[in-house]
């Protein structure tokens, strides 16, 4: 057990996964008569041969509302071959076989609820496995034992070793992520167990498809042939788990059910890294007398053993990260939609259903999307729901890789890509540990002031020739009424808005827009001049790296010369937007015709060289993984070390609701709240000593989210953002204007002081600028 646990720790660290699932017992009729089974029943003991579609959907909806990710279909094997009533029911409902009906119900559940089906239909032919592959991202069948002489399997034609191994091999040939396992204590010998585990290992080595192996202990049940047999001895069970961990290839996950052991924490000592399916809604229909531990109890026991829980999907990350090989094209978005950045299950509590939207409604120069259909209650960026409290936390983590990285940083080491990725893998109290560490660095760097700037956004056009797949704001020149009407503000309209902003107490205008086909580079210079003429003392914070790079290209001017002309016209600083993720692998998906990573970095390098400041932004939560966040941090950290021109880091959680890439089923639904906390906290850690300010986007997170981030390394809430349109066009529900009174109360409530700042982080003390309205 000690060896097995050490192997597990080296593979998976402090993480232990489980699948939040709902069990759907499609039929308990079965042609097999296993000596230990209480799930299988005769027609006389059931109300109907099969659950109806309405019954199936009702169970699935209940599971989705409870936050489940998986719908596990349990059923007997080919009951129509034994019971005429089963065949008649199938025929009456238009199905030729149980597998046909199972496939239809898997598709129904995923389409209507978003739950991912896991079909556990027993020994199947290659054609049947292939049929289910199109509707079920993963499948399963227990090997149980390869001893053909077991009394337990008499009268069970589907439990012959040859038939079970043929199914497991066919699944490998079809590239189906597969769950299998052994049943311990049904009369098999220790050698039999080794034989079964080695057979599973050999097939996985050939095909790579065994995602997890279950080691399950036999527990006798009343009204079965084996009701008087002894239960599997605990030491035999634990020995088999440990043996499985040492025999199986390292990329195979190992699972044991927590509800079949009184002291299920000992299963962790034996080397498991997964608890299997745990349902907050339905019983274990195979072992109905053994209730599931509550999630709270499961977490308590896991953390007592120095581990942290993480929900997963039916298909493990190793498989969902390679969908072209392992996932049917029709299921890839369903898997992505429930995934976090590590391809595990999203861990925010609440109901999660597939989303659909009506046409956007126009609001001024922006638009708001209207969601239709079943409503999710799970938190997402831009949604009106309050995120779960992760920070601060009184619980403390156990020593692991995360703590080791933080200790290294505290001793003066600079985290690289691997260390940053380790931090992003934090779960449970490790998240609060990182947040607390980041907040200590924040206190050392900038003290207890929480800063903000009064500003106005002026998005002068939503017409754009570029085709960023994430943007819900921009429109092609021929677009009609989707996501707002095409518009282009005149210079006079821009000047009027600048003057209004100044009169309302703003010290900054943020100028950004689409790349209009009629623009030449002089347009941006004209906009700067118009703004400065309207309000000579206002700070012009404007034009992304894409805009200035494109402006210079259209004028065929060197970038440095063009930027100097913008400075001469009144430009003071550049926003860091257009960065998205500074990794060309991801930019090829999000913004294939936009400037690449090096062009963005070079634009800011040149800007800094002539005295312009700028900031670092990162849009996260769409298609990228933590390694891409780490590369983004490292590249911008190196540029800051070179130039010192970045004033702040701004995390921009992807707002998915009306983003084209999401509507086209090509992205996740933004980051989880855990990921939002980690991005901001880890930014503070990575940029420590180089960039003093970390900003939270209240437009995307709401003030409840900002409250937590202010205790996780954040010291700035950005601007009041009068007329913010871009996030709203993507579906954000938070207001366009920041209520400073509410912000003051929030900041005071966590023991901090609110201070108004300039764009470049000087405090504003001029009394004539202090008397403007609290809400702008």
């Amino acid at each position: 057990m000690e060896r097995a646990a050490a192997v597990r720790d080296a593979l998976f660290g402090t993480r232990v996964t489980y699948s939040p699932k709902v069990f759907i017992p499609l039929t308990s009729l079965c042609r097999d008569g296993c000596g230990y089974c209480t799930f299988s029943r005769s027609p006389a003991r059931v109300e109907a041969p099969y659950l109806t579609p309405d019954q199936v959907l009702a169970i699935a909806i209940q599971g989705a509302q409870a936050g489940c990710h998986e719908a596990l279909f349990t059923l007997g094997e080919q009951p129509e071959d034994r019971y005429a009533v089963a065949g008649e029911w199938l025929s009456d409902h238009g199905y030729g076989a149980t597998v046909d009906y199972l496939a239809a119900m898997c598709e129904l559940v995923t389409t209507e609820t978003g739950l991912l089906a896991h079909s556990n239909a027993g020994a199947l032919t290659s054609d049947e496995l292939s049929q289910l592959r199109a509707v079920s991202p993963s499948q399963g069948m227990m090997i149980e034992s390869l001893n053909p002489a077991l009394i337990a399997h008499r009268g069970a034609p589907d439990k012959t070793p040859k038939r079970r191994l043929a199914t497991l091999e066919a699944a490998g040939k079809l590239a189906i992520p597969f769950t299998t396992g052994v049943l311990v204590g049904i009369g098999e010998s220790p050698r039999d167990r080794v034989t079964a585990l080695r057979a599973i290992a050999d097939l996985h080595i050939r095909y790579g498809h065994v995602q997890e192996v279950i080691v399950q202990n036999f527990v006798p049940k009343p009204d079965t042939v084996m009701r008087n047999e002894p239960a599997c001895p605990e030491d035999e069970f634990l020995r088999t788990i440990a043996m499985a961990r040492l025999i199986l290839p390292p990329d195979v996950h190992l699972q044991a059910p927590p509800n079949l052991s009184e002291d299920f924490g000992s299963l962790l000592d034996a080397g498991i890294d997964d608890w299997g399916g745990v349902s907050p809604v339905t019983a274990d229909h195979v072992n109905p007398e053994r209730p599931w531990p509550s999630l709270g109890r499961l977490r308590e026991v896991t953390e007592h053993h120095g581990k942290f829980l993480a929900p997963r999907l039916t298909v493990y990350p190793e498989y969902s990260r390679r969908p072209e090989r392992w996932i049917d094209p029709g299921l890839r978005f369903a898997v992505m939609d429930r995934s976090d950045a590590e391809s595990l299950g999203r861990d925010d509590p609440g109901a999660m259903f597939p989303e659909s939207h009506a046409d956007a409604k126009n609001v001024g120069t922006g638009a708001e999307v209207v969601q239709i259909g079943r409503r999710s209650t799970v938190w997402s960026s831009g949604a009106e729901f309050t995120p779960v409290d992760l920070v601060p936390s009184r619980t403390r983590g156990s020593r692991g890789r995360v703590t080791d990285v933080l200790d290294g940083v505290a001793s003066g080491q600079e985290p690289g890509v691997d260390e940053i990725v380790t931090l992003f893998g934090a779960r449970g109290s490790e998240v609060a540990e990182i947040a607390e560490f980041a907040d200590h660095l924040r206190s050392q760097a900038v003290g207890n002031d929480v800063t903000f700037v009064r500003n106005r956004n002026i998005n002068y056009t939503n017409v754009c020739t570029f085709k960023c797949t994430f943007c819900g704001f921009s429109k092609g020149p021929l677009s009609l009424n989707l996501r707002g009407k095409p518009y282009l503000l005149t210079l006079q309209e821009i000047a009027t808005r600048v003057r209004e902003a100044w009169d309302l107490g703003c010290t900054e205008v943020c100028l950004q827009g689409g790349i209009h086909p009629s623009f030449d580079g002089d347009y941006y210079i004209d906009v700067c001049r118009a703004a400065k003429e309207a309000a000579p003392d206002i700070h012009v914070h404007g034009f992304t790296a894409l805009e200035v790079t494109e402006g210079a290209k259209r004028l065929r001017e060197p970038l440095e010369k063009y930027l100097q002309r913008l400075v001469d016209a009144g430009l003071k600083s550049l926003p860091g937007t257009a960065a998205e993720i500074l990794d060309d692998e991801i930019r090829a998906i999000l913004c294939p015709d936009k400037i690449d990573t090096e062009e963005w970095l070079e634009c800011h390098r040149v800007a800094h060289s002539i005295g312009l400041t700028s900031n670092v932004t990162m849009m996260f939560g769409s298609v990228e993984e933590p390694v891409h966040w780490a590369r983004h941090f490292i590249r911008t950290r190196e540029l800051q070390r070179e130039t010192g021109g970045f004033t702040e880091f701004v995390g921009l959680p992807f707002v998915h609701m009306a983003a084209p890439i999401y509507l086209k089923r090509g992205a996740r639904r933004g980051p989880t709240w855990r990921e939002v906390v980690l991005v901001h906290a880890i930014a503070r850690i990575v940029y420590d000593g180089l960039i003093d300010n970390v900003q939270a986007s209240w437009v995307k997170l709401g003030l409840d989210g900002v409250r937590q981030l202010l205790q996780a390394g954040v010291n700035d809430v950005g601007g009041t953002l009068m007329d913010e349109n871009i996030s709203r066009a993507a579906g954000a529900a938070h207001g366009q204007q920041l209520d400073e009174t509410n912000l003051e109360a929030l900041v005071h409530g966590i023991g901090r002081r609110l201070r108004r700042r300039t764009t470049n982080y000087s405090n504003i003390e001029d009394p004539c600028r202090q008397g403007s309205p609290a809400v702008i």
Side-chain angles (χ1 to χ4, degrees), residues 590-655:
L590 296 178
C591 46
D593 57 347
K594 210 170 191 174
I595 55 174
D596 61 22
T597 295
E598 187 50 45
E599 287 175 312
W600 188 96
L601 292 169
E602 179 62 17
C603 177
H604 286 265
R605 181 181 289 112
V606 173
H608 297 169
S609 73
I610 65 169
L612 287 168
T613 58
S614 63
N615 56 39
V616 178
T617 67
M618 184 174 77
M619 187 191 76
F620 62 99
S622 60
V623 298
E624 76 293 339
E625 298 178 13
V627 67
H628 302 110
W629 301 340
R631 292 171 187 166
H632 184 104
F633 282 168
I634 295 293
R635 286 164 179 155
T636 49
R637 184 177 70 187
E638 292 310 304
L639 181 56
Q640 178 70 349
R641 197 189 312 278
E642 175 187 340
T643 69
F646 292 125
T647 56
E648 64 195 341
F649 168 79
V650 186
L652 300 175
F654 173 60
V655 179

Side-chain angles (χ1 to χ4, degrees), residues 568-741:
D568 294 342
L571 184 66
K572 294 294 185 183
S573 60
L574 298 182
T577 38
E580 322 330 337
I581 295 291
L582 292 174
D583 189 288
D584 288 337
E585 177 185 355
I586 299 304
R587 298 181 78 77
I589 301 170
L590 296 178
C591 46
D593 57 347
K594 210 170 191 174
I595 55 174
D596 61 22
T597 295
E598 187 50 45
E599 287 175 312
W600 188 96
L601 292 169
E602 179 62 17
C603 177
H604 286 265
R605 181 181 289 112
V606 173
H608 297 169
S609 73
I610 65 169
L612 287 168
T613 58
S614 63
N615 56 39
V616 178
T617 67
M618 184 174 77
M619 187 191 76
F620 62 99
S622 60
V623 298
E624 76 293 339
E625 298 178 13
V627 67
H628 302 110
W629 301 340
R631 292 171 187 166
H632 184 104
F633 282 168
I634 295 293
R635 286 164 179 155
T636 49
R637 184 177 70 187
E638 292 310 304
L639 181 56
Q640 178 70 349
R641 197 189 312 278
E642 175 187 340
T643 69
F646 292 125
T647 56
E648 64 195 341
F649 168 79
V650 186
L652 300 175
F654 173 60
V655 179
H656 72 282
M657 294 82 159
I661 190 172
Y662 183 78
L663 296 178
K664 293 179 181 179
R665 302 164 71 85
R668 302 190 299 276
R669 57 173 73 188
T672 66
W673 179 243
R674 180 187 60 86
E675 291 166 346
V676 170
V677 171
L678 288 175
V679 162
H680 290 82
I682 294 170
R684 170 64 68 183
I685 294 168
V686 172
Y687 295 125
D688 184 47
L690 293 168
I691 300 176
D692 283 341
N693 301 294
V694 176
Q695 181 186 126
S697 172
W698 65 268
V699 172
K700 302 176 191 299
L701 303 172
L703 290 184
D704 285 318
V706 168
R707 172 184 55 80
Q708 290 191 56
L709 297 185
L710 287 173
Q711 300 169 85
V714 166
N715 68 294
D716 186 78
V717 297
T720 49
L721 291 183
M722 179 182 181
D723 288 340
E724 197 287 325
N725 289 316
I726 295 174
S727 295
R728 194 165 52 137
H734 300 296
Q736 280 191 292
Q737 300 169 344
L738 181 63
D739 187 323
E740 295 177 27
T741 303

Side-chain angles (χ1 to χ4, degrees), residues 83-319:
Y83 299 114
V85 66
E88 292 168 0
W89 190 99
L90 291 168
S91 178
D92 290 345
H93 290 80
Y95 300 100
T98 297
V99 171
D100 299 331
Y101 184 49
L102 171 62
M105 293 303 96
C106 288
E107 183 176 19
L108 173 69
V109 163
T110 300
T111 300
E112 293 296 322
T113 71
L115 292 179
L116 303 174
H118 177 81
S119 56
N120 199 14
L124 301 175
T125 67
S126 181
D127 286 346
E128 290 169 331
L129 289 167
S130 182
Q131 180 183 3
L132 291 172
R133 187 183 191 275
V135 293
S136 182
S138 60
Q139 297 182 50
M141 176 208 66
M142 294 286 281
I143 287 290
E144 296 187 1
S145 176
L146 295 179
N147 182 340
L150 292 179
I151 296 175
H153 288 157
R154 289 181 181 175
D158 295 299
K159 295 296 176 72
T160 62
K162 182 178 180 181
R163 182 156 169 73
R164 305 307 266 189
L165 288 175
T167 298
L168 187 55
E169 182 166 20
K173 291 178 179 179
L174 291 168
I176 297 171
F178 211 76
T179 295
T180 188
V182 295
L183 184 56
V184 187
I186 55 173
E188 82 291 345
S189 69
R191 182 176 296 274
D192 291 336
R193 299 166 196 157
V194 173
T195 299
L197 289 168
R198 283 183 172 166
I200 293 169
D202 289 344
L203 285 172
H204 177 74
I205 290 168
R206 289 175 63 186
Y207 300 108
H209 68 305
V210 179
Q211 61 172 358
E212 63 180 342
V213 167
I214 303 170
V215 179
Q216 182 171 328
N217 52 319
F218 165 70
V219 178
K221 299 176 177 63
D223 301 324
T224 66
V225 172
M226 298 179 67
R227 60 186 176 276
N228 295 321
E229 296 295 323
C232 176
E234 183 181 11
D235 61 339
E236 289 292 302
F237 181 41
L238 295 175
R239 182 180 294 114
T240 306
I241 294 173
M243 188 166 58
R245 180 68 281 165
L246 298 174
I247 290 174
L248 294 169
D251 55 340
V252 175
H253 294 269
L254 185 61
Q255 174 194 135
N259 61 317
L260 299 185
S261 296
E262 295 300 327
D263 176 21
F264 60 87
S266 63
L267 308 180
L268 290 167
D269 297 332
I272 68 165
D273 65 282
D274 184 81
W275 289 119
V278 178
S279 179
V281 176
T282 49
D284 178 355
H285 293 290
V286 178
N287 301 282
E289 77 285 1
R290 307 289 299 205
W292 299 111
S294 68
L295 183 56
R297 177 61 178 159
L298 194 68
R299 180 177 289 109
E300 177 186 346
V301 170
T302 303
E303 293 185 358
H304 179 73
H305 284 74
K307 307 298 177 186
F308 299 102
L309 277 181
R312 62 166 174 85
L313 306 178
T314 64
V315 58
Y316 279 84
E318 296 90 334
Y319 298 87

Side-chain angles (χ1 to χ4, degrees), residues 498-519:
V498 171
R499 185 66 207 181
E500 288 174 351
W502 179 257
D503 290 342
L504 286 169
C506 293
T507 57
E508 172 196 303
V509 285
C510 181
L511 300 166
Q512 296 182 85
I515 309 297
H516 198 286
S518 69
F519 290 175

